[in-house]
């Protein structure tokens, strides 16, 4: 619908996600699952009104669902609170872990331990991340078993 301003913002979120997902499909790039990145960015500012941001995110999630594509949220707690006001969504969460370790092994261990945290978006924390030497490293959490949609596809390994 388009009766309210929030409806129209949700339609924008839907249209943006639909365009991205349809572009992937046209390029024959299989995508059974997508992550919606909810972080502050200077080049792509979020609204100062959390209700608008909530509507935009819900529209994007609906576009994925309408295409049979699973979706989740990638964010960190402070960004989620600032952008959405702490909205609750029952979708998978991928979030940076908490680590002050100074070694790769220490960061990995502390990040894996963060899997025991409750997902702050309302959905299960299924993947967590740490940075080492300017590279992201990710681990799946036990809650990943709750995700019924495939998260990735195995691309062909045939010869060219």
């Amino acid at each position: 619908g388009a009766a309210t301003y929030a409806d129209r913002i949700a339609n924008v979120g839907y249209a943006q996600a639909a365009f991205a997902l349809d572009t992937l499909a046209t390029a024959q790039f299989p995508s059974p699952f997508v992550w919606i990145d909810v972080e502050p960015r200077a080049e792509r500012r979020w609204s100062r009104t959390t209700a608008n941001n909530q509507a935009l995110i819900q529209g994007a999630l609906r576009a994925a669902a309408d295409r049979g594509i699973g979706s989740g949220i990638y964010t960190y707690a402070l960004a989620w609170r600032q952008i959405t006001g702490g909205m609750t969504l029952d979708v998978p969460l991928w979030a940076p872990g908490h680590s002050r370790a100074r070694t790769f092994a220490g960061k990995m261990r502390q990040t894996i331990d963060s899997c025991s945290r409750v997902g702050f978006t309302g959905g299960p924390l299924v993947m967590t991340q740490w940075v080492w030497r300017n590279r992201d490293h990710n681990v799946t959490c036990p809650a990943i078993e709750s995700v019924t949609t495939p998260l990735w596809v195995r691309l062909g390994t045939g010869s060219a």
Side-chain angles (χ1 to χ4, degrees):
T4 68
Y5 189 66
D7 290 340
R8 292 188 293 277
I9 296 234
N11 290 339
V12 169
Y14 188 100
Q16 289 176 347
F19 176 79
L21 296 168
D22 293 347
T23 299
L24 286 170
T26 299
Q28 297 182 350
F29 190 80
S31 182
F33 197 95
V34 293
W35 295 98
I36 298 173
D37 189 3
V38 182
E39 299 179 275
R41 298 275 188 206
E43 65 278 5
R44 293 185 316 265
R45 297 189 191 278
W46 288 89
S47 171
R48 290 188 181 126
T49 306
T50 59
N52 294 345
N53 296 332
Q54 291 173 8
L56 188 85
I57 292 165
Q58 290 169 331
L61 291 168
R62 193 174 69 247
D66 284 354
R67 283 160 177 71
I69 297 172
S71 58
I73 301 293
Y74 174 85
T75 191
Y76 54 94
L78 179 60
W80 187 251
R81 283 192 310 273
Q82 289 175 337
I83 293 168
T84 72
M87 173 173 63
T88 301
L89 290 173
D90 187 20
V91 297
L93 171 64
W94 172 17
H98 295 286
S99 174
R100 297 195 187 277
R102 296 178 185 255
T103 66
F104 181 88
K107 283 190 175 288
M108 181 173 66
R109 185 176 47 258
Q110 288 180 353
T111 301
I112 290 169
D113 289 347
S114 71
C115 281
S116 63
R117 294 185 323 213
V118 173
F120 52 83
T121 59
L125 177 60
V126 300
M127 196 157 39
T128 188
Q129 175 182 84
W130 75 97
V131 177
W132 180 258
R133 296 188 178 160
N134 296 322
R135 301 262 189 239
D136 292 346
H137 298 271
N138 299 284
V139 293
T140 56
C141 298
I144 197 132
E145 298 299 324
S146 69
V147 179
T148 57
T149 304
L151 295 171
W152 52 79
V153 295
R154 188 172 308 276
L155 297 175
T157 57
S159 58

